[in-house]
């Protein structure tokens, strides 16, 4: 009976942890404003304001796209024509964004929650983003 209870606890814990990862990846969709760039723990650049925002659209089938948008004063966006497709893959228990076809590049999702996104590229640069919420400044 003791072994049965231990096995049951392990199964329930495993299911809980796997479900948590699925829910968290849903936070990727939306608008993200870059906050800073760091390398090996040292901040290289701080962005108090950025005139472009990264927009991620993620589908449940692990595919999506990323594109740059520029916020406007009325809360809408100017949208660039350029977009890059990505796939979310798992490598060594890490969540990786693999972009494009042919000459791919990758970014590891270091942290993702409803307000923060940290991506690290293959060279070791960490890009810290914060959730961007559009605001209409014309509505007094």
């Amino acid at each position: 009976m003791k072994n049965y209870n231990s096995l049951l606890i392990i199964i329930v814990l495993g299911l809980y942890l796997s479900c948590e990862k699925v829910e968290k990846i849903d936070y990727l969709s939306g608008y993200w404003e870059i906050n800073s760039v760091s390398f090996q723990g040292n901040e290289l650049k701080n962005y108090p304001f950025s005139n472009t925002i990264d927009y991620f659209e993620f589908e449940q089938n692990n595919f999506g796209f990323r594109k740059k948008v520029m916020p406007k004063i009325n809360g809408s966006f100017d949208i660039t024509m350029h977009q890059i497709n990505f796939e979310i893959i798992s490598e060594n228990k890490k969540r990786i964004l693999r972009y494009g076809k042919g000459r791919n590049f990758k970014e590891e999702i270091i942290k993702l929650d409803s307000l923060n996104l940290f991506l690290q590229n293959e060279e070791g640069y960490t890009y810290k983003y914060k959730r961007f919420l559009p605001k209409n400044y014309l509505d007094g």
Side-chain angles (χ1 to χ4, degrees):
M1 186 68 160
K2 198 175 201 182
N3 288 339
Y4 177 75
N5 288 339
S6 297
L7 181 61
L8 185 61
I9 290 171
I10 290 171
I11 290 171
V12 170
L13 183 60
L15 287 172
Y16 172 76
L17 292 175
S18 66
C19 289
E20 184 179 359
K21 286 183 179 179
V22 170
E23 291 173 2
K24 282 183 143 187
I25 201 69
D26 290 340
Y27 288 133
L28 183 61
S29 290
Y31 300 97
W32 294 95
E33 182 178 17
I34 192 162
N35 197 29
S36 66
V37 179
S38 59
F39 183 72
Q40 297 179 346
N42 298 315
E43 189 174 285
L44 301 177
K45 182 155 178 123
N46 187 18
Y47 295 88
F49 171 80
S50 179
N51 62 347
T52 60
I53 304 298
D54 286 306
Y55 174 72
F56 288 85
E57 190 166 304
F58 169 68
E59 307 275 331
Q60 289 301 323
N61 60 4
N62 289 337
F63 289 91
F65 68 85
R66 178 181 186 172
K67 78 173 15 194
K68 297 282 188 188
V69 298
M70 294 171 282
K72 294 168 55 172
I73 196 166
N74 67 358
S76 67
F77 295 94
D78 283 332
I79 301 170
T80 64
M81 295 300 292
H82 177 73
Q83 88 177 27
I84 187 163
N85 296 324
F86 65 81
E87 175 183 15
I88 297 178
I89 61 173
S90 182
E91 288 183 359
N92 301 322
K93 297 183 181 183
K94 297 176 183 178
R95 290 177 294 169
I96 307 290
L97 296 175
R98 182 171 58 193
Y99 296 94
K101 294 181 180 178
R103 289 190 53 183
N104 294 338
F105 70 95
K106 300 175 185 177
E107 291 180 312
E108 179 185 349
I109 300 173
I110 303 295
K111 179 179 181 178
L112 175 61
D113 60 35
S114 63
L115 299 175
N116 299 287
L117 169 64
F118 295 6
L119 298 175
Q120 186 174 63
N121 68 14
E122 295 172 290
E123 291 81 31
Y125 291 93
T126 301
Y127 299 85
K128 297 177 183 177
Y129 295 85
K130 60 183 175 185
R131 176 74 65 188
F132 180 83
L133 300 173
K135 179 166 174 45
N136 185 344
Y137 292 96
L138 299 178
D139 283 348

